[in-house]
Amino acid sequence: MRVGIGHDTHRLIAGGPLLLGGISIPFDRRLDGHSDADVLLHAITDSLLGAAALGDIGELFPDNDPVNRGRDSSDMLLRAYREVIERTGLRIVNLDCIVFAQLPKLTPFKLAMRQRIAELLELRIDQVNVKAKTGERVGPVGREEAIMAECIVLME
């Protein structure tokens, strides 16, 4: 059994929709980043790499490599998971994720995010949990400047 933790933060900028957990959410802002900036998928990717002691997302997909400009985070997640499986034989037991966003309210989208993540990683939906928390109007999340995500994974 191995445990990995992942974290990511991206700034919010004008222009929607918001891409989060592999789904498109209607919103007047989006996340800014070198790739498509899906903080939830990035946190999951980092958790998988961490559990396997294979570094982090920035090592596998450097932001100074033009091939990663605008890259689909679903593709990054799948490539990282394949690398973990090939190098270690580890498989996901479960994922527990938190998205920190003042707005938009994410409760109506949590099930769709869970379904998309489960589909991508060929898991049952009961192996994926997504929670949403606000920033309680404190810090960059609370001021609606950024969205953060954290994920922990158990692998065997």
Side-chain angles (χ1 to χ4, degrees), residues 115-135:
Q115 289 170 327
R116 179 63 180 144
I117 293 162
E119 175 188 345
L120 285 168
L121 297 172
E122 298 179 359
L123 302 172
R124 296 182 322 273
I125 193 163
D126 69 341
Q127 292 176 276
V128 179
N129 192 48
V130 174
K131 299 180 289 249
K133 304 291 181 187
T134 69

Side-chain angles (χ1 to χ4, degrees), residues 2 48-55 87-88:
R2 301 287 292 267
L48 297 173
L49 293 169
L54 294 177
R87 293 187 54 188
T88 69

Side-chain angles (χ1 to χ4, degrees), residues 102-117:
Q102 192 66 41
L103 288 175
K105 295 298 184 191
L106 296 175
T107 297
F109 304 101
K110 291 189 305 186
L111 179 58
M113 286 188 268
R114 290 178 63 208
Q115 289 170 327
R116 179 63 180 144
I117 293 162

Side-chain angles (χ1 to χ4, degrees), residues 1-6 43-44 46-52 81 84 89-97 121 123 126-129 151-156:
M1 304 294 271
R2 301 287 292 267
V3 176
I5 190 166
I44 294 169
D46 258 356
S47 72
L48 297 173
L49 293 169
Y81 191 33
V84 167
L90 291 168
R91 298 280 182 167
I92 297 169
V93 174
N94 75 297
L95 294 163
D96 190 21
C97 307
L121 297 172
L123 302 172
D126 69 341
Q127 292 176 276
V128 179
N129 192 48
C151 179
I152 189 164
V153 63
L154 177 62
M155 302 186 81
E156 65 179 350

